[in-house]
Amino acid sequence: MEASTYPGNAPDTRDGGRVRALLGRVAPEQLGLSGMLVVACVIISMQSPYFLQGENFANIGTAVAVSGVMAAFTTIVLIGGGLDLSLGAVLVLAGWAMATALDAGYTAGAAIAFALVVGAGCGLVNGLLIVGVGINPFIVTIGTQFAFRGITYAWSGGGAKSTPVDDPTIVALGSDRLLGIPLPVYVLAGMFLLAFCLLRFTRFGSNVYAIGGNLAAARLAGVRVDRTRILVYVLSALSAAVAGVLLIGISGAAIPIAGQGIELTVLAAVILGGTALMGGRGTVVGTLLGVLLLGVINNGLTLLSAPSYWQMIVQGTALLIAVVFDEVRRKRKETR
Amino acid sequence: MSTAAGEVVLEARGLRKHYGPVVAAAGMDLEIRRGEVMALVGDNGAGKSTLVKMLSGAIRPDAGEIVHRGRAIQLHGPHDARERGIETTYQDLALAPNRDVIANLYLGREIVRGGLLKPLGILDRREMTRRATDQLSRLGVRLPALTGTPVGRMSGGQQQGVAVARAASWATDVLFMDEPTAALGVRQSEAVLQVARRIAQSGVGVVLITHIMPHVMEVADRVVVLRHGRKVADMTAAELRQDRLIALMAGYEEGEAA
Ligand SMILES: Nc1ncnc2c1ncn2[C@@H]1O[C@H](COP(=O)(O)OP(=O)(O)OP(=O)(O)O)[C@@H](O)[C@H]1O
Ligand SMILES: [Mg+2]
């Protein structure tokens, strides 16, 4: 083989190379995160015997499903060097769209499809403003956050109005179980698997990493940068629409004021999971760990009947700690 | 060294580029021939990178014409040039730092699985790795690891190797190299010059921008000197004397091709 003349060029196929190639290297931060997860579980289970029961795990799964679904795709957004702060607003707008369709007598399937179309439309608006017009994603998605939620309020005839949803399929999606596991957990797992495969196995994923790492280089290399970036925002908004459907299934009502600030919970989980705020680096596996860690801590606080503001304090602090870690990592890389 | 002029593959006719009051290119002509290594020299700010960027689609000329294989063309982006077999290694490295060598070599032209799965764009990493291993061996470029290690963690010379290998792998008509040896040690520079030579021998027109005169003397079949956005000399290696070259670049002597 020619390559033997150039031993340095041998592809990495030593033992374990395959497995590692499939899962990606286990980053130290992922080990650290897993450790923190275990520690949190041990501490909470010592305080509350209820924690380790199967029923409680089902609760945690359902509780993290809504933000988790979005976290999976926010990972893609951040890796691509973007930001989407309109998730909570897209969630309620798509959810209200579904409730309206159900009200008008459409089937659950058609209503869900309508929610997804509305979600994709929101994502397209974000994408076109950010990529097409070239405005900073932070500004654009704060703007659309207000716009989309405002549209939801207008459509529902005022923000305080919510409407019960009793469609059996939707309610089942939020509360039924299969093999003892709540259906939202399956949706969560499916969305994570989808995001994982997109990033690891497809040209799209490869290009997202390249764009987040060095946008100019990706463009010079001939990557269809604009198309890829718009698609990233469409996928992000679609995940928010899925979350909106789930939330209605779980709560049994479409609530226009729901999901406020949920994008920060999502961001905290993603950055905690080791994804760089500045793009180019990150993994879906890390995000999953971040989601679980925040879910377990919130669950622990509930079990210990801590007042609910503690959850806000913990989440805000977690976001800040994650950002500090991210910054430290970045600085260390620069000075290498 | 052979100076036999091959077929002219790419041509600049009166290319102009202004940046506000700065005239980066004041009507430049250039003929790039197959099989030839052309050294493009000139002082800092002479317009070398600007000329190359216009010819490789990275920037649009304000005026003038680009002729490829005898036909006037418009380049609407680097993508356009690459589709015509015109490749470039840029002075400011154009790599994706967090991706490994394979991903960088195939950036923008990933090999995807065929058949029913084709629309999904699923990467065929094995095929890319196989071809890349082959290609790097042929070019004589050595890298520590092709997969798993982000190129951002490699040394400057190794990164330059990736950039050169990528452009060289795809160039069928023209290969532009903008100061590929600027950050390299003696051995790596030698390797890059070898790549330039080999690529030219395969029938590609190679344009090498450099400030290092020994490299010019060593590898160039033709030398073009730019100054203040103009071509001031265009000569074959046989006509070349280093002292005269430096005088031309600095503007002490007027060239014949103003
Ligand atoms: N994007 C830009 N905006 C403004 N001026 C520019 C830009 N790019 C180049 N210039 C100017 O155009 C002129 C030619 O620049 P160019 O980069 O082509 O020089 P060069 O010959 O490649 O120099 P060097 O040897 O330093 O790389 C310079 O005066 C430079 O300042
Ligand atoms: Mg230059």
Side-chain angles (χ1 to χ4, degrees):
Chain A
M1 205 173 126
E2 272 181 272
S4 60
T5 337
Y6 302 95
N9 281 348
D12 195 357
T13 48
R14 279 158 293 154
D15 45 7
R18 288 257 7 211
V19 180
R20 240 184 308 147
L22 193 68
L23 286 179
R25 310 226 157 174
V26 179
E29 52 252 44
Q30 286 176 17
L31 281 179
L33 215 51
S34 310
M36 277 157 71
L37 192 56
V38 172
V39 170
C41 287
V42 169
I43 292 175
I44 298 166
S45 61
M46 288 192 313
Q47 303 290 321
S48 165
Y50 180 70
F51 177 76
L52 285 179
Q53 288 177 18
E55 190 58 23
N56 188 46
F57 283 121
N59 284 342
I60 295 176
T62 304
V64 299
V66 172
S67 60
V69 157
M70 295 186 283
F73 284 80
T74 292
T75 311
I76 300 181
V77 176
L78 287 198
I79 290 173
L83 186 65
D84 187 350
L85 295 176
S86 70
L87 291 170
V90 176
L91 179 153
V92 288
L93 182 54
W96 195 266
M98 181 180 78
T100 309
L102 288 172
D103 234 25
Y106 287 96
T107 62
I112 291 174
F114 185 44
L116 295 181
V117 168
V118 168
C122 293
L124 198 60
V125 170
N126 282 337
L128 288 176
L129 286 171
I130 292 164
V131 179
V133 186
I135 313 171
N136 182 310
F138 180 82
I139 303 297
V140 167
T141 58
I142 283 194
T144 55
Q145 178 190 98
F146 280 89
F148 294 152
R149 195 173 286 275
I151 293 170
T152 314
Y153 288 178
W155 195 357
S156 60
K161 266 179 94 174
S162 53
T163 186
V165 171
D166 52 11
D167 179 90
T169 314
I170 303 294
V171 172
L173 188 63
S175 52
D176 270 14
R177 298 192 178 187
L178 185 65
L179 307 171
I181 300 171
L183 292 187
V185 175
Y186 288 97
V187 176
L188 178 66
M191 294 291 274
F192 262 98
L193 192 64
L194 182 61
F196 177 83
C197 291
L198 278 174
L199 278 176
R200 187 150 281 278
F201 299 121
T202 71
R203 166 164 46 196
F204 166 75
S206 186
N207 289 347
V208 166
Y209 275 104
I211 290 169
N214 186 344
L215 188 136
R219 182 167 280 140
L220 288 176
V223 172
R224 311 264 170 163
V225 170
D226 294 351
R227 196 187 299 181
T228 306
R229 287 177 75 207
I230 291 174
L231 186 55
V232 163
Y233 287 101
V234 170
L235 287 174
S236 169
L238 273 173
S239 76
V242 171
V245 171
L246 271 186
L247 183 61
I248 291 178
I250 293 168
S251 61
I255 310 160
I257 57 166
Q260 304 203 46
I262 198 168
E263 44 278 324
L264 294 185
T265 309
V266 169
L267 268 185
V270 175
I271 298 172
L272 211 52
T275 295
L277 192 53
M278 303 303 288
R281 188 166 43 81
T283 60
V284 169
V285 177
T287 298
L288 184 58
L289 290 173
V291 166
L292 291 179
L293 181 62
L294 287 183
V296 163
I297 291 175
N298 276 341
N299 175 260
L301 291 170
T302 311
L303 290 183
L304 305 178
S305 35
S308 67
Y309 54 75
W310 269 107
Q311 297 195 359
M312 289 172 75
I313 294 173
V314 166
Q315 238 155 60
T317 312
L319 175 63
L320 292 175
I321 290 175
V323 172
V324 168
F325 268 119
D326 178 56
E327 189 61 21
V328 169
R329 264 194 311 253
R330 209 169 59 82
K331 287 259 166 63
R332 195 160 15 136
K333 258 184 106 177
E334 271 174 11
T335 54
R336 272 163 67 100
Chain B
M1 254 329 64
S2 150
T3 52
E7 165 209 357
V8 174
V9 60
L10 190 69
E11 209 182 328
R13 290 185 189 156
L15 288 184
R16 302 177 66 86
K17 183 74 191 175
H18 299 245
Y19 291 107
V22 179
V23 183
M28 298 217 251
D29 299 315
L30 196 70
E31 289 189 343
I32 299 164
R33 294 179 180 77
R34 287 192 184 277
E36 208 175 70
V37 177
M38 173 196 289
L40 194 55
V41 300
D43 234 336
N44 293 119
K48 307 180 294 293
S49 297
T50 303
L51 177 59
V52 165
K53 281 181 176 164
M54 289 190 289
L55 287 172
S56 60
I59 58 176
R60 287 275 197 107
D62 297 334
E65 218 178 21
I66 298 171
V67 180
H68 179 230
R69 298 187 182 185
R71 231 185 290 148
I73 57 163
Q74 298 274 341
L75 295 175
H76 297 289
H79 201 244
D80 254 6
R82 295 186 97 207
E83 269 168 15
R84 296 171 180 276
I86 301 166
E87 288 285 333
T88 312
T89 68
Y90 295 94
Q91 189 170 6
D92 27 16
L93 284 181
L95 295 177
N98 296 304
R99 309 297 286 155
D100 63 13
V101 172
I102 300 295
N104 269 287
L105 287 179
Y106 284 88
L107 189 56
R109 45 188 21 143
E110 296 82 1
I111 300 178
V112 298
R113 302 250 170 94
L116 284 177
L117 294 177
K118 185 141 196 202
L120 293 179
I122 297 183
L123 297 174
D124 192 342
R125 288 274 304 185
R126 184 182 303 183
E127 180 63 15
M128 289 193 271
T129 307
R130 195 183 66 71
R131 288 198 206 173
T133 309
D134 249 35
Q135 182 66 12
L136 290 171
S137 305
R138 213 167 9 219
L139 291 171
V141 174
R142 290 178 204 218
L143 299 167
L146 296 192
T147 60
T149 308
V151 297
R153 290 213 203 118
M154 296 183 176
S155 80
Q158 289 161 345
Q159 293 187 37
Q160 194 59 260
V162 175
V164 168
R166 178 173 72 193
S169 304
W170 305 105
T172 58
D173 282 19
V174 181
L175 173 61
F176 291 110
M177 304 167 99
D178 195 347
E179 301 196 29
T181 58
L184 301 189
V186 177
R187 265 199 25 223
Q188 288 98 328
S189 295
E190 209 51 45
V192 167
L193 296 181
Q194 283 306 317
V195 171
R197 200 45 23 256
R198 278 182 220 194
I199 294 299
Q201 268 157 12
S202 71
V204 174
V206 176
V207 177
L208 177 74
I209 298 184
T210 180
H211 288 287
I212 306 170
M213 286 312 129
H215 291 170
V216 175
M217 309 304 283
E218 177 181 338
V219 78
D221 301 309
R222 173 178 296 277
V223 180
V224 168
V225 185
L226 300 185
R227 189 152 48 82
H228 300 323
R230 276 178 207 288
K231 185 165 85 176
V232 293
D234 186 339
M235 57 204 158
T236 62
E239 301 162 356
L240 181 74
R241 269 181 41 230
Q242 193 167 347
D243 51 352
R244 172 146 185 272
L245 191 59
I246 290 167
L248 277 167
M249 283 167 57
Y252 304 141
E253 183 185 338
E254 284 307 316
E256 65 273 34

